[in-house]
Amino acid sequence: MAENRYSISEFIRETQQEDKGEGLFELETPRLLEVNLDGQVWAKAGAMVSYRGNIKFEREGILEHGIGRLFKKAFTGEGTPLMKANGNGKLYLADAGKKISILNLKNESLFVNGNNLLAFEPALSWDIKLMRKIAGMMAGGLFNIKITGTGMTAITTHYEPLTLAIAQGNPVYTDPHATVAWSGNLSPEFVTDVQLKTFFGRGSGESIQMKFEGDGFVVVQPYEETYFGQSSE
């Protein structure tokens, strides 16, 4: 009946949480990650939207990952501190309504832009990688994290991600602001295009490009991320 179409009971039925039995990470919705926690998980600080059960949260310690990573974080000015969630229960994570993708690494490595990393298992090792050349070209906190090993990680994108295959002799160029992740065996170069800069009338952005060569893939999003301390003008 029409009067039931917008009832509270109908709303609850359409939006209520479901147990899908998919393991540690589940996509409760395209923009909400459910973590079936029994132990520990690393997550982006501030990403928790809800939880149930006995879960404790702890911000990443200054020297928890060694002084080398501390110096890298200070150098990059990165804006993605991590938090540990420990315990048993259901944890729900989200990041500004961005779309979430779950990746199950099997003795593999992946580079992820720091702004696009949502959560990962503690069994995975990680390290901050400095974009040395681009640091001199752009202001702000553009950096990436290399994740290696076997385990699950969740990344975020503004809208739908697009994965581009890269083959020998056929390089792919991307806008750094729209680049989300790439395969761990690739080391992108940074190139500038003065004509493109003039065409767009901008001081940054499309004038600086990431060049990927080799065999692998790169993930982009249809959105240019804005980093702290960087003007888009």
Side-chain angles (χ1 to χ4, degrees):
M1 297 178 63
E3 57 268 24
N4 293 327
R5 185 176 177 188
Y6 300 114
S7 65
I8 290 178
S9 60
E10 177 68 9
F11 174 80
I12 292 173
R13 186 188 68 81
E14 290 182 354
T15 62
Q16 67 183 350
Q17 179 265 338
E18 297 180 14
D19 288 319
K20 301 176 183 178
E22 295 177 353
L24 176 64
F25 286 0
E26 296 182 9
L27 285 179
E28 189 60 35
T29 75
R31 291 168 174 80
L32 268 172
L33 177 70
E34 179 184 277
V35 182
N36 295 298
L37 192 61
D38 183 15
Q40 178 181 305
V41 70
W42 283 102
K44 187 174 186 177
M48 186 277 290
V49 296
S50 180
Y51 73 91
R52 64 172 67 188
N54 183 22
I55 301 176
K56 301 296 183 183
F57 300 93
E58 181 181 352
R59 193 177 181 88
E60 176 190 9
I62 290 178
L63 293 175
E64 184 158 356
H65 304 289
I67 197 166
R69 288 187 194 171
L70 173 65
F71 285 153
K72 289 179 183 179
K73 292 174 74 171
F75 180 83
T76 57
E78 58 92 357
T80 310
L82 299 173
M83 66 178 181
K84 287 186 292 187
N86 288 285
N88 295 274
K90 290 186 179 293
L91 170 63
Y92 297 93
L93 303 173
D95 184 12
K98 294 193 286 185
K99 182 178 175 62
I100 300 169
S101 299
I102 298 172
L103 302 173
N104 189 10
L105 276 62
K106 298 179 180 179
N107 196 26
E108 298 167 296
S109 61
L110 178 75
F111 284 100
V112 183
N113 185 296
N115 289 306
N116 299 101
L117 182 63
L118 181 63
F120 59 93
E121 288 189 72
L124 293 167
S125 61
W126 64 276
D127 194 14
I128 296 172
K129 298 297 181 180
L130 305 181
M131 294 182 171
R132 299 180 187 278
K133 186 174 181 180
I134 203 170
M137 300 178 182
M138 305 171 66
L142 188 61
F143 72 104
N144 59 73
I145 297 174
K146 186 176 185 180
I147 299 177
T148 305
T150 298
M152 302 188 79
T153 185
I155 64 174
T156 61
T157 55
H158 288 278
Y159 312 106
E160 303 295 328
L162 173 67
T163 300
L164 302 170
I166 301 166
Q168 290 286 350
N170 189 18
V172 171
Y173 298 83
T174 66
D175 182 341
H177 297 270
T179 305
V180 173
W182 59 92
S183 43
N185 62 303
L186 298 179
S187 298
E189 298 179 32
F190 294 92
V191 296
T192 56
D193 189 325
V194 176
Q195 291 182 333
L196 199 56
K197 175 180 177 180
T198 303
F199 177 76
F200 282 95
R202 302 178 54 171
S204 62
E206 287 87 350
S207 60
I208 303 172
Q209 302 156 14
M210 298 176 75
K211 179 183 179 181
F212 291 89
E213 288 188 287
D215 291 301
F217 64 87
V218 60
V219 182
V220 295
Q221 62 184 2
Y223 182 94
E224 292 187 33
E225 202 89 38
T226 300
Y227 303 102
F228 295 109
Q230 179 170 329
S231 171
S232 61
E233 299 300 325

